[in-house]
Amino acid sequence: MQQPIIGIPCDVKQIGLFPFHAVGEKYITAAVGGAGGVAILIPSLGDPAQLRAIVELVDGVLLPGSPSNVEPHHYQGEPSREGTLHDVARDATTLPLIDALIKEGVPLLGICRGFQEINVVLGGELHQHVQEQPGLNDHREPDTTDVEEMYGPAHAVKLAAGGLLQGWLGCDSVLVNSIHQQGIKRLAPGLAVEAVAEDGLVEAYRVANARNFAFAVQWHPEWKYWDNKVSQAILKAFGDACRERRMRRNQ
């Protein structure tokens, strides 16, 4: 059986004088080793014709995290503070792509920014600074240059009874890392909660009536996925859905 093709949308970054389309290696490694796919990078061109071709080409899409944030006008939010990093080209690519993937039943896994993007596309809202919201904790990474500490376990999340995560893992709570300051303010209609943090912040969800796998987490399961049973379960389920789509398309 052929390996499924897993597309990963790029960030657009300025390196020197020129813009580059780039994806963090850890997401590529997770798509290949964790989900068992052949990874291809999707340039963030915002071209509708290109997006239609991508939907036809891929067997799944992994929406990666990013230092940039979704521009708040996409969810009727207040303008961002000065110095906030945005990626207009990625927004113009991933937001319409998400809509098309869900409608066409292409397996979809969102991580961090990808988690926030799906919520925005389906009509939800975001907190831009979770740590400043009454009753919510500080979910930002520790102030360190040690990446092992940065991506280490940060807090527990409670798994929804009868949810996918609980079924995959056979437990009621797990420890996750935490490297974000944006988060769910209002969950979009049609999203079913899969996990919440101790402060009640939504940390994982699924698209309840999706035709295929459509799942997202706020944390980073791609980080050293081979050492983490939670990450392995998420990536395996995504990879299985991609393989099933590949098999059906080859029949």
Side-chain angles (χ1 to χ4, degrees):
M1 178 181 174
Q2 290 181 313
Q3 292 172 284
I5 298 172
I6 298 176
I8 310 175
C10 293
D11 294 337
V12 179
K13 300 176 180 290
Q14 194 75 17
I15 303 178
L17 298 176
F18 303 101
F20 283 71
H21 292 248
V23 169
E25 185 180 71
K26 58 195 173 87
Y27 299 105
I28 300 170
T29 301
V32 174
V38 174
I40 64 168
L41 305 191
I42 301 171
S44 287
L45 301 175
D47 180 343
Q50 289 277 316
L51 295 181
R52 286 193 295 273
I54 290 294
V55 172
E56 291 296 321
L57 173 66
V58 299
D59 301 302
V61 167
L62 188 158
L63 298 167
S66 171
S68 68
N69 296 319
V70 178
E71 283 203 303
H73 70 81
H74 291 293
Y75 53 90
Q76 292 76 53
E78 294 294 322
S80 298
R81 294 175 185 171
E82 185 176 353
T84 301
L85 182 61
H86 292 299
D87 189 337
V88 175
R90 172 160 169 168
D91 286 350
T93 302
T94 54
L95 302 186
L97 179 61
I98 289 165
D99 187 57
L101 293 170
I102 293 173
K103 287 178 179 176
E104 292 297 322
V106 179
L108 178 63
L109 174 62
I111 295 174
C112 196
R113 190 193 208 269
F115 169 90
Q116 295 161 9
E117 287 171 329
I118 296 170
N119 186 59
V120 167
V121 167
L122 296 181
E125 296 179 73
L126 303 176
H127 288 301
Q128 296 187 48
H129 305 280
V130 168
Q131 70 277 5
E132 298 176 6
Q133 303 305 311
L136 296 182
N137 297 332
D138 191 339
H139 288 254
R140 293 174 294 181
E141 65 271 24
D143 185 14
T144 178
T145 57
D146 183 338
V147 293
E148 296 290 343
E149 183 180 353
M150 187 181 300
Y151 282 90
H155 63 76
V157 295
K158 182 179 179 181
L159 309 187
L164 294 177
L165 267 176
Q166 190 189 60
W168 297 335
L169 298 169
C171 59
D172 295 327
S173 68
V174 295
L175 287 175
V176 300
N177 53 40
S178 190
I179 308 173
H180 65 101
Q181 71 166 323
Q182 295 216 317
I184 299 292
K185 179 179 181 180
R186 181 173 60 83
L187 194 67
L191 295 181
V193 174
E194 283 279 335
V196 294
E198 297 152 317
D199 57 2
L201 190 69
V202 175
E203 290 269 344
Y205 60 70
R206 69 183 186 276
V207 182
N209 295 319
R211 293 169 52 190
N212 209 325
F213 183 98
F215 188 89
V217 296
Q218 180 63 82
W219 67 87
H220 286 265
E222 82 286 355
W223 174 254
K224 292 194 171 180
Y225 68 86
W226 53 87
D227 281 339
N228 188 297
K229 67 176 185 178
V230 180
S231 299
Q232 290 172 8
I234 292 169
L235 291 168
K236 180 183 183 301
F238 173 56
D240 287 346
C242 295
R243 278 182 285 277
E244 183 180 347
R245 174 174 168 82
R246 181 72 174 179
M247 184 172 61
R248 289 199 311 268
R249 280 149 54 92
N250 284 340
Q251 288 176 346

